[in-house]
Amino acid sequence: MALDPEFKPDHGDWLCAVCNVPLEQLKVQVFYMNSAFDVVLPRCPQCGMTLIPESLANGKMAEVEALLEDK
Amino acid sequence: MLEQSRLRDYEARCTQESAPRCRLSCPLDMDVRGFLAAMAASRPAEARKLIERHLPLPGVLCAVCDHPCEDSCLRRDLGGALSISELERVCLASVSPQTRILPRPAKKQRFAVLGAGLAGLTAAFDLGRKGFPVTVFDTDRSSALLSSFPCLPADAVGREWQDMEKNRVSFQNSDEAVFYSEDAARAFLATLEQDFDAVFADLSRLPLSLEAEALDPLTLHWQGKVCAGGHLDTTPTGALYASASRQAGEGRRAGITLQRIMGGVSLDAERDDDRQSRLHVDLKNVPSVPRVLPAAEAWTPEEAAAEASRCLQCSCMQCVKECVYLQKYKEFPRLYARRLFSNATVVKGTRTTANVVMNGCAMCGQCEVICPEHFSMADLCLEVRRDAVSRDVMPDSAHAFALEDMEQACGPDSAFLLEDSSLPDGTHAPRLFFPGCQLAGSRPRQVLAMYEWLKSALPGGLSLYSTCCGIPAHWAGREAVFEEHSAELCRQWEACGRPEIIVACSSCKSTLRLALPTARIVSLWEMLDELMPEVPSFEAMPSRFTVQDPCGARHDSAWQKAVRSLASKAGAELVEPVRTREATACCGYGGLVWNAQPELADDMTGKRAQDFDGPVLTSCIMCRDRFAATLENEGESWHLFDILPQTAGLAPEKGDPGLSSRRAGRAALRREALGAEGEVGEAGGTFSLRISDDVLASLERQFILRQDALEAVQGIEATGMKFRDRETGHFLGSWRPRRVTFWVEYRADEDGGFTLLRAWCHRMVVPGAIQPSTEIVMEKRIRA
Ligand code: SF4
Ligand code: SF4
Ligand code: SF4
Ligand SMILES: [Zn+2]
């Protein structure tokens, strides 16, 4: 169940508004229904707040969600 | 747990897999339909393969067959039966043999056939193909066939023998006396019985006088290790003749029995001779097409293809033709049943499309009406959904939104029971108006106006109960939720004195019947039809409508009649669509497909809309709203409320109000109806979030409510946990109030309000995007 490993923001040059630092592409583990996946996502290097781009949510993520649910 | 016996009940109802009449009347079980399809497509080699697979001694049989298939062909009265036998000959003449004979390793059991007639040679042919050595006894190889079928070309028999020899069928001369003396025949059979594992006696050749009952008609077993068959027939005038198909069929049937005798197993287990076709073929609108006859003596390939294409390719598929869901996986109910049941019993992890299949049905009940055997996909899918829920394998996302919506409709900001305040304390009105949550959501002002009018027109007062009937839980297979909700309905109904219930939605009607079996339930339309001998015309109304019966009212002729009567009294001319009344088609709202598979639901709406000629009039608000969203001119979709004088002027301007507005509408109805008491703490307060129509439409498509977006922006602004775009200054943040994460991209406006730019959502849990309930959400999900 390979999620493509890396996703960047669809647009924009995003800062963490809490820490006021630019986001970096960092590895995150995401979870759904007893499964976990490693993904590289835009993330605040200080507080860890993570961004899920629209294209990922409505694309690969939706696909994997449906797949897991159908198991 | 689903019982396998239930699967068999379902399977037995769908006859689509049963063979067409031509095939069943062929004693050799020839796949005539497949053969004709190949011929019609000008693929004679493929056609010949089918002949070789099904027919013994094809060169002989096709030359002399008396083709009972043609007598039963459904084309018979529509231009004439197909020339099946003729086309088989054309096919054999036009291409060379397609099956290479690869003898199987010889088996050790040996069979004997006494008499080289068509029955005997068929038995020998079939057994030889299975790898059994067979010895055929007669005076010579071909005279038996030639005397039964004088027109048979002599070389045809020789060619079949060449093939049979490759399969270890051998010939042995036997004494001529066997073929004219009964004693000699019986004596010879007795020796064969000693020397072989089983024996077939060809009655077209032997002077045996069998007692009719001595032969088992199903197995053709005669006595000991001997089967017999293939006798000649007598015409009424006493002439003898041979029916090639019957003789060959008997040879084949006996061949099977011989193997069972040899194996020492039951001769008749799992065999029956029921050759009645159960296949339903709809012959309505099939035009008659005359037989194609060859211009010269020989058929041209074009003539043969033209004749073959007259075949109706008999099949049922009547339900499938009407339902986009059933068409989606290119199968038919019998196969869907099998697929759903096998998926339900297979271990987790190997299931494939079961969820998609069970959640794609609109549960509208149309197939049950159309099907000659009344197969109900709705019953099947409901049973399978309940099973999936009980085993906890129902995907959460399939119905999550619909169930949340139901919860909201039954919850404190929407649901209410209003007793008639004009009545003295402690007394209850004899009737209760139950508008249903979708009508309340789409048309709160009309609901209230209708309530006021009914209250004035009906003696003794009227209560108003706005809540959901519970059908979403029923459709989702959530029996526990449905029962809990039914109990609540029952409590409320009893608390207000068990009144008669007036419903405006056909789904409410059927659901309340389940929830409150002892209540008297009547439709608003029948009530109005009685109360209003005349209905003043609404001036903005089109003069002509197509009527759409909601699927929930398909078996409710009183409902259908009242709707038509009211509309006619109001001056509308009504047109019936192709499928109407009990056969009406679903708008796509049923069965929660709109939630589980929105595109499929849209296809259903689109397909049904094609049946309308001009504006449509319906008595179901979901039909009305879904057609308004689909029809190019959204003004062409009308609800009965839009033409009745009590409510006509109060229709909202917009086509389909959508999910967010319906929620707001239900809350508004509550506030309006209850007055000051109806105020519940406004979640939004003074917080302002602007959402353009385009953005709202995109939210609706993703099942994100205006309220969800508002709460997300509000929550994010309160914690400050968000991203900021250095170029535009836009904000982006996530909010996970329940098992879904909402993302909102927005802009702060100068007046202190905000504008939503886009939103999306997902169900996966992403650490670093789970506010507000960090730990709880994480742990629940990971352990689940
Ligand atoms: S109508 Fe549908 S369910 Fe009924 S027999 Fe035909 S194919 Fe099967
Ligand atoms: S129309 Fe075709 S499929 Fe139907 S009975 Fe005749 S030959 Fe068979
Ligand atoms: S959507 Fe209606 S017609 Fe289609 S399978 Fe379901 S109940 Fe039958
Ligand atoms: Zn940060």
Side-chain angles (χ1 to χ4, degrees):
Chain A
M1 209 101 22
L3 273 179
D4 271 21
E6 176 154 3
F7 296 90
K8 303 219 163 109
D10 292 330
H11 58 88
D13 177 10
W14 299 97
L15 294 177
C16 172
V18 182
C19 314
N20 209 24
V21 294
L23 305 189
E24 289 173 20
Q25 292 295 120
L26 295 169
K27 193 160 110 181
V28 188
Q29 214 172 33
V30 305
F31 304 89
Y32 197 58
M33 301 185 75
N34 296 326
S35 302
F37 313 92
D38 287 335
V39 200
V40 177
L41 290 169
R43 183 166 223 207
C44 169
Q46 288 182 25
C47 71
M49 191 159 60
T50 307
L51 189 158
I52 303 296
E54 181 174 11
S55 60
L56 171 59
N58 287 335
K60 203 80 201 175
M61 253 187 181
E63 245 170 65
V64 174
E65 285 172 5
L67 244 125
L68 289 174
E69 289 186 336
D70 240 340
K71 275 209 159 157
Chain B
M1 215 34 206
L2 296 172
E3 305 264 349
Q4 286 302 305
S5 67
R6 299 285 302 138
L7 170 60
R8 280 188 293 278
D9 291 348
Y10 281 115
E11 276 187 315
R13 289 226 155 190
C14 174
T15 64
Q16 165 63 18
E17 262 179 353
S18 97
R21 296 166 37 132
C22 49
R23 179 168 186 167
L24 287 174
S25 52
C26 169
L28 289 317
D29 197 41
M30 170 66 189
D31 179 4
V32 177
R33 183 176 62 187
F35 165 76
L36 291 173
M39 288 300 281
S42 300
R43 288 204 287 268
E46 207 175 286
R48 179 161 186 151
K49 266 191 212 151
L50 288 173
I51 292 183
E52 289 168 1
R53 183 179 319 148
H54 292 272
L55 299 183
L57 309 149
V60 168
L61 182 61
C62 291
V64 297
C65 190
D66 50 335
H67 46 74
C69 54
E70 295 184 16
D71 300 336
S72 68
C73 173
L74 274 184
R75 252 284 173 225
R76 202 182 44 199
D77 301 326
L78 292 163
L82 268 288
S83 303
I84 299 166
S85 186
E86 191 81 36
L87 289 174
E88 285 172 355
R89 284 192 286 277
V90 173
C91 173
L92 291 187
S94 66
V95 275
S96 52
Q98 299 293 306
T99 323
R100 236 187 336 140
I101 299 170
L102 298 166
R104 305 209 183 172
K107 296 187 175 149
K108 66 176 195 303
Q109 297 88 347
R110 297 155 57 245
F111 294 102
V113 167
L114 180 54
L118 189 50
L121 289 185
T122 297
F125 179 97
D126 281 358
L127 292 165
R129 260 213 301 211
K130 290 247 163 85
F132 295 106
V134 184
T135 312
V136 178
F137 297 86
D138 205 319
T139 51
D140 76 77
R141 293 163 169 245
S142 50
S143 60
L145 277 183
L146 291 172
S147 74
S148 286
F149 307 105
C151 61
L152 191 63
D155 58 340
V157 190
R159 272 200 305 270
E160 296 297 342
W161 264 110
Q162 283 173 11
D163 285 353
M164 283 200 290
E165 276 167 346
K166 292 188 198 146
N167 281 329
R168 300 189 195 82
V169 176
S170 57
F171 179 79
Q172 255 189 48
N173 277 101
S174 58
D175 189 355
E176 279 197 34
V178 169
F179 300 99
Y180 59 77
S181 145
E182 172 147 12
D183 288 346
R186 287 183 183 259
F188 190 53
L189 277 171
T191 50
L192 292 177
E193 227 183 318
Q194 302 265 306
D195 298 347
F196 291 87
D197 285 274
V199 185
F200 178 71
D202 185 324
L203 296 177
S204 72
R205 293 288 292 147
L206 298 170
L208 291 172
S209 46
L210 297 193
E211 306 266 331
E213 64 276 12
L215 214 54
D216 181 277
L218 177 62
T219 62
L220 300 178
H221 180 232
W222 175 25
Q223 58 185 31
K225 293 196 283 183
V226 186
C227 288
H231 63 82
L232 296 174
D233 288 293
T234 319
T235 63
T237 56
L240 283 178
Y241 73 97
S243 158
S245 64
R246 189 179 52 70
Q247 288 185 329
E250 289 182 7
R252 172 157 290 176
R253 200 136 34 99
I256 295 169
T257 310
L258 294 190
Q259 293 171 62
R260 292 190 177 200
I261 292 174
M262 171 269 289
V265 296
S266 156
L267 302 189
D268 53 10
E270 315 224 340
R271 289 173 87 170
D272 66 58
D273 50 4
D274 178 12
R275 304 287 291 174
Q276 285 298 321
S277 178
R278 293 181 58 226
L279 187 67
H280 294 282
V281 185
D282 182 8
L283 294 177
K284 271 195 308 288
N285 309 324
V286 175
S288 166
V289 181
R291 278 188 122 142
V292 178
L293 297 168
E297 201 186 315
W299 290 68
T300 65
E302 293 72 27
E303 286 163 344
E307 171 61 5
S309 59
R310 289 197 316 122
C311 170
L312 302 169
Q313 290 294 304
C314 288
S315 79
C316 177
M317 298 298 266
Q318 297 180 41
C319 58
V320 180
K321 281 178 211 149
E322 294 298 326
C323 171
V324 280
Y325 154 64
L326 288 174
Q327 286 158 17
K328 192 161 170 192
Y329 307 98
K330 317 221 169 336
E331 286 178 0
F332 43 88
R334 189 179 166 95
L335 292 185
Y336 288 125
R338 226 175 270 160
R339 202 204 273 227
L340 288 171
F341 269 71
S342 72
N343 272 296
T345 48
V346 151
V347 276
K348 226 178 152 174
T350 51
R351 297 147 41 82
T352 46
T353 48
N355 290 330
V356 203
V357 173
M358 75 179 157
N359 290 328
C361 174
M363 299 186 164
C364 70
Q366 187 191 42
C367 51
E368 188 181 359
V369 171
I370 292 175
C371 172
E373 306 276 341
H374 306 297
F375 191 109
S376 168
M377 278 302 286
D379 288 355
L380 171 64
C381 289
L382 184 62
E383 193 167 340
V384 178
R385 287 184 197 182
R386 285 176 171 171
D387 174 67
V389 168
S390 73
R391 292 182 299 117
D392 203 20
V393 295
M394 174 63 94
D396 195 32
S397 63
H399 305 132
F401 184 85
L403 293 169
E404 279 160 18
D405 204 46
M406 167 175 160
E407 221 175 279
Q408 191 269 350
C410 308
D413 24 305
S414 293
F416 66 94
L417 171 64
L418 177 67
E419 292 220 53
D420 196 325
S421 55
S422 63
L423 297 178
D425 270 357
T427 57
H428 302 292
R431 295 188 188 83
L432 172 146
F433 180 33
F434 191 99
C437 62
Q438 302 302 325
L439 188 61
S442 281
R443 303 301 181 80
R445 295 172 64 205
Q446 290 179 328
V447 166
L448 209 56
M450 185 55 78
Y451 171 63
E452 294 300 341
W453 186 87
L454 285 171
K455 206 158 61 159
S456 67
L458 291 166
L462 181 69
S463 309
L464 174 61
Y465 187 13
S466 179
T467 189
C468 173
C469 64
I471 206 167
H474 174 74
W475 277 335
R478 308 263 164 192
E479 289 169 281
V481 180
F482 182 72
E483 271 158 35
E484 198 185 305
H485 180 65
S486 299
E488 168 64 10
L489 291 175
C490 192
R491 266 193 301 280
Q492 299 288 353
W493 176 65
E494 287 179 344
C496 63
R498 307 166 66 93
E500 177 185 43
I501 303 174
I502 305 171
V503 291
C505 163
S506 55
S507 300
C508 292
K509 190 169 174 197
S510 53
T511 314
L512 291 180
R513 281 247 162 85
L514 292 177
L516 307 170
T518 59
R520 250 184 70 85
I521 305 171
V522 60
S523 81
L524 174 64
W525 320 119
E526 286 156 77
M527 182 74 72
L528 290 176
D529 193 34
E530 244 181 75
L531 292 171
M532 302 170 74
E534 275 162 33
V535 180
S537 230
F538 177 55
E539 76 275 6
M541 178 184 86
S543 58
R544 215 174 94 117
F545 284 111
T546 305
V547 223
Q548 154 79 4
D549 291 309
C551 50
R554 76 168 71 252
H555 298 295
D556 194 338
S557 49
W559 180 294
Q560 300 159 10
K561 193 166 151 247
V563 167
R564 285 164 178 76
S565 163
L566 285 167
S568 312
K569 282 190 230 170
E573 181 199 335
L574 297 178
V575 192
E576 300 287 339
V578 270
R579 294 275 183 196
T580 187
R581 297 186 189 266
E582 71 160 359
T584 186
C586 183
C587 70
Y589 181 71
L592 306 183
V593 202
W594 62 272
N595 187 174
Q597 294 165 42
E599 293 85 15
L600 177 58
D602 289 349
D603 290 346
M604 293 178 180
T605 321
K607 176 171 193 295
R608 179 52 169 175
Q610 285 169 8
D611 296 341
F612 303 150
D613 175 15
V616 60
L617 178 69
T618 169
S619 50
C620 168
I621 193 63
M622 289 319 297
C623 287
R624 155 32 251 193
D625 286 351
R626 291 192 62 87
F627 292 129
T630 293
L631 293 173
E632 246 166 62
N633 172 5
E634 60 183 34
E636 304 256 286
S637 181
W638 292 63
H639 186 263
L640 211 45
F641 267 6
D642 304 336
I643 68 169
L644 293 175
Q646 299 88 334
T647 42
L650 301 171
E653 300 138 39
K654 268 195 73 182
D656 174 17
L659 305 164
S660 295
S661 299
R662 248 180 242 121
R663 280 209 184 176
R666 291 195 283 259
L669 174 64
R670 184 190 149 94
R671 279 196 304 277
E672 288 280 314
L674 300 188
E677 305 167 47
E679 295 295 336
V680 277
E682 261 279 278
T686 55
F687 195 90
S688 134
L689 180 68
R690 296 179 182 85
I691 306 180
S692 71
D693 284 353
D694 284 355
V695 174
L696 186 63
S698 129
L699 298 194
E700 295 262 331
R701 273 196 300 279
Q702 304 177 76
F703 296 117
I704 303 173
L705 295 168
R706 180 191 277 279
Q707 187 67 21
D708 293 327
L710 183 77
E711 279 169 24
V713 175
Q714 219 175 355
I716 292 162
E717 282 302 304
T719 62
M721 288 177 60
K722 57 186 177 184
F723 303 110
R724 184 168 57 81
D725 185 351
R726 264 197 285 207
E727 292 156 16
T728 58
H730 293 174
F731 296 119
L732 172 61
S734 68
W735 195 249
R736 190 173 174 92
R738 42 187 190 271
R739 283 144 82 146
V740 46
T741 302
F742 297 107
W743 285 87
V744 282
E745 186 178 332
Y746 58 96
R747 175 179 78 209
D749 298 327
E750 285 171 5
D751 60 3
F754 296 88
T755 298
L756 185 68
L757 301 166
R758 51 176 71 79
W760 58 95
C761 61
H762 55 81
R763 308 185 77 81
M764 282 199 179
V765 182
V766 182
I770 45 181
Q771 65 168 330
S773 36
T774 317
E775 284 104 347
I776 309 150
V777 177
M778 281 289 292
E779 281 185 19
K780 254 214 299 224
R781 290 319 294 160
I782 293 163
R783 264 199 252 106

